[in-house]
Amino acid sequence: MMKVSILLIVLLLLHSSSLMVTSAASTPAAHQLTTSAYTSNELLSTTLPPTALTSSAPTSNLPHPQFVTNFTGSVNDHGTCQCSVSLPYTPFPVQKMESLVLTTHELSEEFYRELTKIKEYSVLIERYEQRLLNLTIRVETMEKTSISYNELDFELLKLEVKEMQRLVNQLKTTFVGSRVIIDQLEIEIKNMTLLVQELESLDKNNILTIRREIAALKNRLKECEESNKQNDLVQNFPPGSCNHSGVVNISKPSIIQLNWRGFSYKYGAWGKDYSPLTPEKTLYWVAPLNTDARYLEYYRLHNSKDDLLLFKNPRDNRITYGEGSGTAVYKNSMYIHMYSSRDIAKVNLTTNTVVVRKTLPNAAYNNRFSYAGVNWEDIDLAVDESGLWVIYATEASTGNIVISKLNDTSLEVLNTWQTKQYKPSVSNAFIVCGVLYATRAVNTRQDEIFYTYDTNTGQEGRMSILMDKMLEKLTGINYNPLDHKLYVYNEGYLMTYDLSFQTTLQ
Ligand SMILES: *[C@@H]1O[C@H](CO)[C@@H](O)[C@H](O)[C@H]1NC(C)=O
Ligand SMILES: *[C@@H]1O[C@H](CO)[C@@H](O)[C@H](O)[C@H]1NC(C)=O
Ligand SMILES: *[C@@H]1O[C@H](CO)[C@@H](O)[C@H](O)[C@H]1NC(C)=O
Ligand SMILES: *[C@@H]1O[C@H](CO)[C@@H](O)[C@H](O)[C@H]1NC(C)=O
Ligand SMILES: *[C@@H]1O[C@H](CO)[C@@H](O)[C@H](O)[C@H]1NC(C)=O
Ligand SMILES: *[C@@H]1O[C@H](CO)[C@@H](O)[C@H](O)[C@H]1NC(C)=O
Ligand SMILES: *[C@@H]1O[C@H](CO)[C@@H](O)[C@H](O)[C@H]1NC(C)=O
């Protein structure tokens, strides 16, 4: 700082004097000058050649004097004392002077730049010091009081400390002067980081960890929703339409959330009601089985996806009892397999009462022909564009899949199709536009849609569409014709998949 200001003074001096000389040089005619300007300036004496200064009176007889010389004045007719010095016509080094002026100008600009930087840095440093002080006070308060602080407090603190670390690092790379202050700041900030960490570890209840997990889940949910939006754009088949040639691909799963009863409830089903006449009314249902992985006792309803995501405004109901993960919801009614029987029942979701209970003729039950890796799903109800179906097996079918179309009012069987696919060797099944799609496990992270049975034509088919999964077991796959999504229960997690369809060639 000191050095620079001295330089400034010198520069200013240079600047002013050179200007003075310039003006003298620009008019090569004789000028009246005071000698003091020259004598104080060493520089000038080196740039100016030692030329004689002559008085107005002819003094040619004088020997060539030094730059500064004595000369005599004269008194004129009016008694005024006159004294004049004249510069000779000897060419003045104008070019040298001009370059000097230029250099000086550049130097002074450079100086001002440096000066501004220093000013900025000192302001910044002051600000950081203020913030550090504030932080210290806050951390001290947190230390002193015994109240348990929440995640937000720590996160805010950590954010601020991190931001300051970043700024200090930035400063360090740009600042060329003394780094003592900055190094000091850095140490203090590092201390602060340690302190915050220490404080955080003192929080004995595990709330922070849980909150973090929730935050992570929420983030993933957001990503999933974004990718869903893109998928929705790609889907160009109208809701409920069967104007396509079947499923051609499936998206990556979107993890919606953990089921409302928790980690231990690894089997169950969930979905969105398909009510073709009131498509604007949404109803989400979640039906985890009890931890015995057999009985369906409690289910929960939400009227919107937001409520579902936030666990808000739930309607919890109890029934005695359903069995397995084959539950489906259609037109605001739930269809379930009644425990220890070959009966199916229709439950009015408004009143939570069994409206109709009906035997499914010859259906095997009591875990006789359930799906691979999933117990107690002998009878699997399904919904497609045309209504209610049931997927099961009989002794007569030797365990191969039997498909029946049901009257959703009376639960009577309207029609039945026998397939050649052994039910216990498929992991799950769903129906789209009258076509049954069956899945099987490829490994713990993927299933494959590998088999189709078209009830419209009675044709069987093979295909290979890989389905990623988060955990090993997919239970209760439910298709919704409105959004063309599969709602899947994956060991306690609720997931959705988007189906893409083959366009019909006309
Ligand atoms: C200049 O003037 C001073 C005082 O008037 C005198 O002492 C000195 O000798 C003079 N120098 C010359 C070179 O005339
Ligand atoms: C420090 O805290 C005081 C009072 O809490 C506030 O007015 C000031 O703006 C804070 N300074 C900084 C840099 O955050
Ligand atoms: C940083 O913390 C250590 C130990 O807690 C302490 O000795 C040191 O003085 C602190 N430094 C600053 C700059 O606060
Ligand atoms: C079915 O889709 C094709 C295009 O894929 C379109 O040209 C046709 O009009 C559609 N038919 C109906 C009934 O929507
Ligand atoms: C099928 O979907 C997967 C996952 O979204 C994607 O990576 C793949 O490219 C798709 N395949 C075809 C043939 O569209
Ligand atoms: C359920 O029961 C209520 C009350 O009896 C009735 O208003 C409603 O229509 C029923 N819902 C269905 C889907 O049948
Ligand atoms: C379904 O059952 C109801 C009540 O028994 C009956 O009125 C209706 O006609 C049946 N629908 C079909 C398609 O069979």
Side-chain angles (χ1 to χ4, degrees):
M1 189 76 159
M2 198 58 175
K3 244 189 200 164
V4 183
S5 44
I6 290 170
L7 175 65
L8 173 71
I9 292 163
V10 171
L11 285 174
L12 286 175
L13 279 172
L14 266 177
H15 202 66
S16 55
S17 58
S18 62
L19 279 176
M20 208 187 283
V21 175
T22 314
S23 67
S26 58
T27 48
H31 253 268
Q32 294 207 338
L33 289 171
T34 50
T35 51
S36 68
Y38 291 92
T39 46
S40 69
N41 197 331
E42 286 175 6
L43 193 85
L44 198 63
S45 60
T46 56
T47 49
L48 282 177
T51 41
L53 291 171
T54 48
S55 63
S56 51
T59 49
S60 54
N61 56 331
L62 283 170
H64 277 316
Q66 289 304 300
F67 181 65
V68 180
T69 182
N70 284 356
F71 47 88
T72 45
S74 60
V75 181
N76 69 0
D77 305 343
H78 307 288
T80 317
C81 185
Q82 234 177 16
C83 168
S84 62
V85 180
S86 65
L87 282 171
Y89 276 95
T90 326
F92 189 81
V94 177
Q95 274 168 355
K96 271 188 184 170
M97 217 40 172
E98 278 177 347
S99 94
L100 181 71
V101 170
L102 211 68
T103 318
T104 314
H105 192 64
E106 278 168 7
L107 269 173
S108 65
E109 273 189 349
E110 175 72 11
F111 166 73
Y112 279 115
R113 262 202 302 277
E114 290 300 322
L115 194 68
T116 331
K117 254 194 218 165
I118 287 169
K119 272 186 194 150
E120 277 170 10
Y121 286 147
S122 19
V123 170
L124 265 180
I125 288 171
E126 257 172 43
R127 208 183 298 155
Y128 293 160
E129 274 177 332
Q130 185 58 44
R131 278 168 69 173
L132 250 187
L133 202 71
N134 275 11
L135 273 178
T136 315
I137 293 167
R138 276 166 58 188
V139 173
E140 273 172 2
T141 324
M142 285 171 91
E143 274 180 315
K144 275 179 203 144
T145 53
S146 55
I147 308 161
S148 170
Y149 280 86
N150 63 29
E151 173 86 332
L152 191 63
D153 292 319
F154 287 115
E155 282 310 317
L156 283 179
L157 267 178
K158 282 201 284 194
L159 262 179
E160 279 180 57
V161 172
K162 209 181 261 169
E163 169 68 6
M164 282 171 53
Q165 257 166 345
R166 193 184 62 77
L167 289 171
V168 164
N169 274 336
Q170 198 181 313
L171 259 183
K172 273 172 83 171
T173 52
T174 49
F175 197 70
V176 279
S178 160
R179 289 169 42 164
V180 177
I181 300 168
I182 291 177
D183 288 344
Q184 180 65 28
L185 264 176
E186 203 184 12
I187 293 168
E188 283 182 41
I189 289 171
K190 271 188 187 145
N191 266 11
M192 191 73 67
T193 315
L194 289 178
L195 241 160
V196 172
Q197 273 168 5
E198 207 176 291
L199 272 177
E200 201 176 7
S201 70
L202 285 177
D203 185 307
K204 290 197 182 61
N205 46 37
N206 262 331
I207 287 172
L208 294 194
T209 332
I210 293 164
R211 285 200 182 156
R212 234 179 247 133
E213 276 171 20
I214 289 176
L217 267 175
K218 274 190 189 154
N219 272 343
R220 274 158 73 182
L221 179 65
K222 220 190 217 166
E223 283 168 25
C224 288
E225 293 227 89
E226 308 256 294
S227 76
N228 270 1
K229 261 181 218 154
Q230 287 168 359
N231 281 334
D232 285 348
L233 291 178
V234 173
Q235 279 294 354
N236 46 14
F237 293 101
S241 160
C242 280
N243 187 18
H244 58 71
S245 307
V247 175
V248 281
N249 205 1
I250 191 161
S251 70
K252 298 248 179 287
S254 297
I255 296 124
I256 304 301
Q257 63 182 189
L258 184 65
N259 83 86
W260 58 284
R261 297 187 76 181
F263 291 104
S264 322
Y265 296 81
K266 294 197 181 301
Y267 298 87
W270 83 292
K272 191 169 99 173
D273 175 36
Y274 176 50
S275 293
L277 296 179
T278 52
E280 70 286 348
K281 267 181 79 177
T282 55
L283 177 73
Y284 288 88
W285 57 276
V286 186
L289 302 183
N290 288 356
T291 47
D292 60 8
R294 176 172 185 184
Y295 289 123
L296 169 61
E297 189 176 0
Y298 296 97
Y299 67 90
R300 173 174 272 196
L301 304 173
H302 287 287
N303 283 335
S304 73
K305 190 168 185 188
D306 282 351
D307 280 357
L308 172 82
L309 293 179
L310 300 169
F311 300 100
K312 256 173 58 186
N313 308 321
R315 282 183 281 145
D316 292 347
N317 285 323
R318 178 168 182 257
I319 44 171
T320 52
Y321 291 100
E323 182 178 282
S325 312
T327 313
V329 171
Y330 177 56
K331 287 189 185 167
N332 210 30
S333 289
M334 183 177 270
Y335 296 88
I336 60 171
H337 170 212
M338 295 305 283
Y339 76 103
S340 283
S341 74
R342 54 171 58 98
D343 293 356
I344 46 180
K346 174 178 181 172
V347 178
N348 180 320
L349 290 178
T350 314
T351 58
N352 188 38
T353 48
V354 171
V355 186
V356 184
R357 177 170 176 160
K358 187 109 188 153
T359 298
L360 183 62
N362 305 317
Y365 65 102
N366 274 350
N367 212 19
R368 177 81 173 109
F369 298 120
S370 187
Y371 289 125
V374 180
N375 287 331
W376 307 106
E377 203 172 341
D378 299 83
I379 295 178
D380 184 11
L381 291 137
V383 172
D384 81 346
E385 287 76 359
S386 67
L388 188 65
W389 300 78
V390 62
I391 304 160
Y392 59 108
T394 62
E395 293 299 335
S397 78
T398 63
N400 286 349
I401 292 175
V402 175
I403 307 164
S404 287
K405 185 80 201 288
L406 298 176
N407 178 327
D408 65 275
T409 313
S410 62
L411 296 182
E412 272 170 337
V413 171
L414 300 172
N415 211 337
T416 295
W417 292 265
Q418 306 274 343
T419 73
K420 294 193 188 72
Q421 179 59 51
Y422 187 52
K423 185 163 180 281
S425 73
V426 314
S427 60
N428 227 293
F430 58 93
I431 297 177
V432 177
C433 292
V435 179
L436 174 113
Y437 293 85
T439 61
R440 66 180 169 197
V442 175
N443 53 47
T444 57
R445 301 308 300 271
Q446 279 188 321
D447 265 29
E448 178 192 33
I449 303 173
F450 76 104
Y451 173 86
T452 60
Y453 185 91
D454 190 341
T455 63
N456 306 299
T457 61
Q459 294 288 307
E460 282 184 300
R462 297 273 158 181
M463 59 166 30
S464 177
I465 300 173
L466 290 176
M467 247 176 114
D468 289 346
K469 56 189 178 185
M470 214 172 65
L471 295 163
E472 200 174 329
K473 283 168 187 156
L474 300 179
T475 62
I477 297 183
N478 278 282
Y479 168 66
N480 186 302
L482 212 58
D483 54 19
H484 301 146
K485 281 185 204 294
L486 294 183
Y487 290 77
V488 179
Y489 196 94
N490 187 197
E491 294 195 29
Y493 286 92
L494 315 184
M495 309 200 300
T496 61
Y497 294 84
D498 288 288
L499 294 177
S500 1
F501 301 129
Q502 177 79 58
T503 45
T504 307
L505 298 174
Q506 300 264 307

PDB file of all heavy atoms in Angstrom, residues 1 42 148 171 179 186 198 226 243 286 317 339 355 396 461-462 480 486:
ATOM      1  N   MET A   1       0.854  -1.195   0.000  1.00  0.00           N
ATOM      2  CA  MET A   1       0.000   0.000   0.000  1.00  0.00           C
ATOM      3  C   MET A   1       0.888   1.243   0.000  1.00  0.00           C
ATOM      4  O   MET A   1       0.746   2.108  -0.809  1.00  0.00           O
ATOM      5  CB  MET A   1      -0.904  -0.061   1.239  1.00  0.00           C
ATOM      6  CG  MET A   1      -1.981   0.989   1.244  1.00  0.00           C
ATOM      7  SD  MET A   1      -3.334   0.564   0.108  1.00  0.00           S
ATOM      8  CE  MET A   1      -4.630   1.571   0.782  1.00  0.00           C
ATOM      9  N   GLU A  42      14.905  16.371 -12.414  1.00  0.00           N
ATOM     10  CA  GLU A  42      16.128  15.769 -12.931  1.00  0.00           C
ATOM     11  C   GLU A  42      15.907  15.200 -14.323  1.00  0.00           C
ATOM     12  O   GLU A  42      16.744  15.300 -15.199  1.00  0.00           O
ATOM     13  CB  GLU A  42      16.567  14.625 -12.032  1.00  0.00           C
ATOM     14  CG  GLU A  42      17.152  15.073 -10.723  1.00  0.00           C
ATOM     15  CD  GLU A  42      17.444  13.901  -9.836  1.00  0.00           C
ATOM     16  OE1 GLU A  42      17.284  12.753 -10.312  1.00  0.00           O
ATOM     17  OE2 GLU A  42      17.807  14.128  -8.679  1.00  0.00           O
ATOM     18  N   SER A 148     -33.002 -29.298  20.908  1.00  0.00           N
ATOM     19  CA  SER A 148     -32.532 -30.065  19.756  1.00  0.00           C
ATOM     20  C   SER A 148     -32.819 -29.262  18.482  1.00  0.00           C
ATOM     21  O   SER A 148     -33.948 -28.862  18.229  1.00  0.00           O
ATOM     22  CB  SER A 148     -33.261 -31.401  19.706  1.00  0.00           C
ATOM     23  OG  SER A 148     -32.983 -32.039  18.506  1.00  0.00           O
ATOM     24  N   LEU A 171     -10.747 -15.952  -3.411  1.00  0.00           N
ATOM     25  CA  LEU A 171      -9.902 -14.828  -3.033  1.00  0.00           C
ATOM     26  C   LEU A 171      -8.427 -15.213  -3.133  1.00  0.00           C
ATOM     27  O   LEU A 171      -7.606 -14.473  -3.655  1.00  0.00           O
ATOM     28  CB  LEU A 171     -10.198 -14.421  -1.610  1.00  0.00           C
ATOM     29  CG  LEU A 171     -11.090 -13.211  -1.393  1.00  0.00           C
ATOM     30  CD1 LEU A 171     -11.200 -12.932   0.086  1.00  0.00           C
ATOM     31  CD2 LEU A 171     -10.543 -11.993  -2.111  1.00  0.00           C
ATOM     32  N   ARG A 179      -1.326 -12.683   2.256  1.00  0.00           N
ATOM     33  CA  ARG A 179      -2.404 -13.651   2.417  1.00  0.00           C
ATOM     34  C   ARG A 179      -2.622 -14.005   3.868  1.00  0.00           C
ATOM     35  O   ARG A 179      -3.362 -14.938   4.168  1.00  0.00           O
ATOM     36  CB  ARG A 179      -2.093 -14.898   1.610  1.00  0.00           C
ATOM     37  CG  ARG A 179      -2.226 -14.607   0.143  1.00  0.00           C
ATOM     38  CD  ARG A 179      -1.693 -15.700  -0.712  1.00  0.00           C
ATOM     39  NE  ARG A 179      -2.059 -17.025  -0.222  1.00  0.00           N
ATOM     40  CZ  ARG A 179      -1.953 -18.098  -0.984  1.00  0.00           C
ATOM     41  NH1 ARG A 179      -1.525 -17.992  -2.225  1.00  0.00           N
ATOM     42  NH2 ARG A 179      -2.251 -19.262  -0.504  1.00  0.00           N
ATOM     43  N   GLU A 186      -9.392 -18.680   6.602  1.00  0.00           N
ATOM     44  CA  GLU A 186      -9.565 -20.068   6.186  1.00  0.00           C
ATOM     45  C   GLU A 186      -9.543 -21.008   7.393  1.00  0.00           C
ATOM     46  O   GLU A 186     -10.373 -21.900   7.512  1.00  0.00           O
ATOM     47  CB  GLU A 186      -8.465 -20.453   5.200  1.00  0.00           C
ATOM     48  CG  GLU A 186      -8.892 -21.622   4.354  1.00  0.00           C
ATOM     49  CD  GLU A 186      -7.801 -22.086   3.430  1.00  0.00           C
ATOM     50  OE1 GLU A 186      -6.651 -21.646   3.594  1.00  0.00           O
ATOM     51  OE2 GLU A 186      -8.101 -22.901   2.559  1.00  0.00           O
ATOM     52  N   GLU A 198     -19.616 -31.527  14.675  1.00  0.00           N
ATOM     53  CA  GLU A 198     -19.639 -32.033  16.040  1.00  0.00           C
ATOM     54  C   GLU A 198     -21.026 -31.859  16.649  1.00  0.00           C
ATOM     55  O   GLU A 198     -21.594 -32.774  17.220  1.00  0.00           O
ATOM     56  CB  GLU A 198     -18.614 -31.255  16.850  1.00  0.00           C
ATOM     57  CG  GLU A 198     -18.041 -31.990  18.027  1.00  0.00           C
ATOM     58  CD  GLU A 198     -16.966 -31.139  18.670  1.00  0.00           C
ATOM     59  OE1 GLU A 198     -15.889 -30.959  18.040  1.00  0.00           O
ATOM     60  OE2 GLU A 198     -17.217 -30.615  19.751  1.00  0.00           O
ATOM     61  N   GLU A 226     -40.342 -35.980 -13.672  1.00  0.00           N
ATOM     62  CA  GLU A 226     -39.850 -35.293 -14.870  1.00  0.00           C
ATOM     63  C   GLU A 226     -39.819 -36.263 -16.046  1.00  0.00           C
ATOM     64  O   GLU A 226     -40.276 -35.954 -17.139  1.00  0.00           O
ATOM     65  CB  GLU A 226     -38.439 -34.745 -14.636  1.00  0.00           C
ATOM     66  CG  GLU A 226     -38.327 -33.913 -13.395  1.00  0.00           C
ATOM     67  CD  GLU A 226     -38.266 -32.426 -13.679  1.00  0.00           C
ATOM     68  OE1 GLU A 226     -37.288 -31.982 -14.278  1.00  0.00           O
ATOM     69  OE2 GLU A 226     -39.222 -31.728 -13.281  1.00  0.00           O
ATOM     70  N   ASN A 243     -56.793 -48.601 -29.954  1.00  0.00           N
ATOM     71  CA  ASN A 243     -56.410 -48.419 -31.352  1.00  0.00           C
ATOM     72  C   ASN A 243     -54.882 -48.560 -31.479  1.00  0.00           C
ATOM     73  O   ASN A 243     -54.187 -47.644 -31.889  1.00  0.00           O
ATOM     74  CB  ASN A 243     -56.895 -47.033 -31.819  1.00  0.00           C
ATOM     75  CG  ASN A 243     -56.677 -46.839 -33.297  1.00  0.00           C
ATOM     76  OD1 ASN A 243     -56.478 -47.797 -34.049  1.00  0.00           O
ATOM     77  ND2 ASN A 243     -56.688 -45.577 -33.737  1.00  0.00           N
ATOM     78  N   VAL A 286     -54.172 -48.128  -1.784  1.00  0.00           N
ATOM     79  CA  VAL A 286     -52.972 -48.867  -1.406  1.00  0.00           C
ATOM     80  C   VAL A 286     -53.411 -49.983  -0.466  1.00  0.00           C
ATOM     81  O   VAL A 286     -54.042 -49.716   0.556  1.00  0.00           O
ATOM     82  CB  VAL A 286     -51.939 -47.963  -0.695  1.00  0.00           C
ATOM     83  CG1 VAL A 286     -50.648 -48.721  -0.445  1.00  0.00           C
ATOM     84  CG2 VAL A 286     -51.674 -46.708  -1.506  1.00  0.00           C
ATOM     85  N   ASN A 317     -59.424 -48.040   5.869  1.00  0.00           N
ATOM     86  CA  ASN A 317     -60.542 -48.954   6.082  1.00  0.00           C
ATOM     87  C   ASN A 317     -60.036 -50.334   6.455  1.00  0.00           C
ATOM     88  O   ASN A 317     -58.942 -50.732   6.066  1.00  0.00           O
ATOM     89  CB  ASN A 317     -61.390 -49.051   4.818  1.00  0.00           C
ATOM     90  CG  ASN A 317     -62.249 -47.811   4.628  1.00  0.00           C
ATOM     91  OD1 ASN A 317     -62.759 -47.245   5.601  1.00  0.00           O
ATOM     92  ND2 ASN A 317     -62.394 -47.390   3.388  1.00  0.00           N
ATOM     93  N   TYR A 339     -60.408 -64.636   1.773  1.00  0.00           N
ATOM     94  CA  TYR A 339     -59.424 -65.573   2.313  1.00  0.00           C
ATOM     95  C   TYR A 339     -59.979 -66.994   2.452  1.00  0.00           C
ATOM     96  O   TYR A 339     -61.171 -67.188   2.720  1.00  0.00           O
ATOM     97  CB  TYR A 339     -58.889 -65.068   3.663  1.00  0.00           C
ATOM     98  CG  TYR A 339     -59.831 -65.243   4.815  1.00  0.00           C
ATOM     99  CD1 TYR A 339     -59.641 -66.270   5.737  1.00  0.00           C
ATOM    100  CD2 TYR A 339     -60.918 -64.399   4.982  1.00  0.00           C
ATOM    101  CE1 TYR A 339     -60.518 -66.447   6.790  1.00  0.00           C
ATOM    102  CE2 TYR A 339     -61.791 -64.574   6.031  1.00  0.00           C
ATOM    103  CZ  TYR A 339     -61.595 -65.593   6.931  1.00  0.00           C
ATOM    104  OH  TYR A 339     -62.466 -65.777   7.976  1.00  0.00           O
ATOM    105  N   VAL A 355     -70.437 -55.800  -1.146  1.00  0.00           N
ATOM    106  CA  VAL A 355     -71.716 -55.673  -1.836  1.00  0.00           C
ATOM    107  C   VAL A 355     -72.118 -57.009  -2.447  1.00  0.00           C
ATOM    108  O   VAL A 355     -73.283 -57.420  -2.363  1.00  0.00           O
ATOM    109  CB  VAL A 355     -71.629 -54.590  -2.929  1.00  0.00           C
ATOM    110  CG1 VAL A 355     -72.989 -54.331  -3.563  1.00  0.00           C
ATOM    111  CG2 VAL A 355     -71.046 -53.318  -2.384  1.00  0.00           C
ATOM    112  N   ALA A 396     -58.313 -78.686 -13.320  1.00  0.00           N
ATOM    113  CA  ALA A 396     -58.558 -79.136 -14.680  1.00  0.00           C
ATOM    114  C   ALA A 396     -57.552 -78.538 -15.663  1.00  0.00           C
ATOM    115  O   ALA A 396     -57.154 -79.179 -16.639  1.00  0.00           O
ATOM    116  CB  ALA A 396     -59.976 -78.785 -15.122  1.00  0.00           C
ATOM    117  N   GLY A 461     -48.606 -65.867 -27.630  1.00  0.00           N
ATOM    118  CA  GLY A 461     -47.448 -65.231 -28.260  1.00  0.00           C
ATOM    119  C   GLY A 461     -46.272 -65.149 -27.295  1.00  0.00           C
ATOM    120  O   GLY A 461     -46.430 -65.291 -26.075  1.00  0.00           O
ATOM    121  N   ARG A 462     -45.076 -64.932 -27.860  1.00  0.00           N
ATOM    122  CA  ARG A 462     -43.858 -64.756 -27.058  1.00  0.00           C
ATOM    123  C   ARG A 462     -43.312 -63.371 -27.344  1.00  0.00           C
ATOM    124  O   ARG A 462     -43.410 -62.869 -28.467  1.00  0.00           O
ATOM    125  CB  ARG A 462     -42.801 -65.795 -27.438  1.00  0.00           C
ATOM    126  CG  ARG A 462     -43.203 -67.215 -27.166  1.00  0.00           C
ATOM    127  CD  ARG A 462     -42.866 -67.609 -25.737  1.00  0.00           C
ATOM    128  NE  ARG A 462     -43.686 -68.738 -25.291  1.00  0.00           N
ATOM    129  CZ  ARG A 462     -43.619 -69.276 -24.086  1.00  0.00           C
ATOM    130  NH1 ARG A 462     -42.788 -68.772 -23.186  1.00  0.00           N
ATOM    131  NH2 ARG A 462     -44.378 -70.290 -23.747  1.00  0.00           N
ATOM    132  N   ASN A 480     -53.693 -49.417 -15.512  1.00  0.00           N
ATOM    133  CA  ASN A 480     -54.734 -48.399 -15.592  1.00  0.00           C
ATOM    134  C   ASN A 480     -54.882 -47.931 -17.036  1.00  0.00           C
ATOM    135  O   ASN A 480     -53.963 -47.337 -17.597  1.00  0.00           O
ATOM    136  CB  ASN A 480     -54.398 -47.214 -14.683  1.00  0.00           C
ATOM    137  CG  ASN A 480     -55.554 -46.217 -14.637  1.00  0.00           C
ATOM    138  OD1 ASN A 480     -55.973 -45.699 -15.666  1.00  0.00           O
ATOM    139  ND2 ASN A 480     -56.069 -45.961 -13.456  1.00  0.00           N
ATOM    140  N   LEU A 486     -48.572 -49.089 -15.453  1.00  0.00           N
ATOM    141  CA  LEU A 486     -48.673 -50.232 -14.564  1.00  0.00           C
ATOM    142  C   LEU A 486     -48.381 -49.745 -13.150  1.00  0.00           C
ATOM    143  O   LEU A 486     -47.412 -49.015 -12.936  1.00  0.00           O
ATOM    144  CB  LEU A 486     -47.649 -51.312 -14.943  1.00  0.00           C
ATOM    145  CG  LEU A 486     -47.830 -52.016 -16.280  1.00  0.00           C
ATOM    146  CD1 LEU A 486     -46.768 -53.103 -16.423  1.00  0.00           C
ATOM    147  CD2 LEU A 486     -49.224 -52.618 -16.414  1.00  0.00           C
TER     148      LEU A 486
END
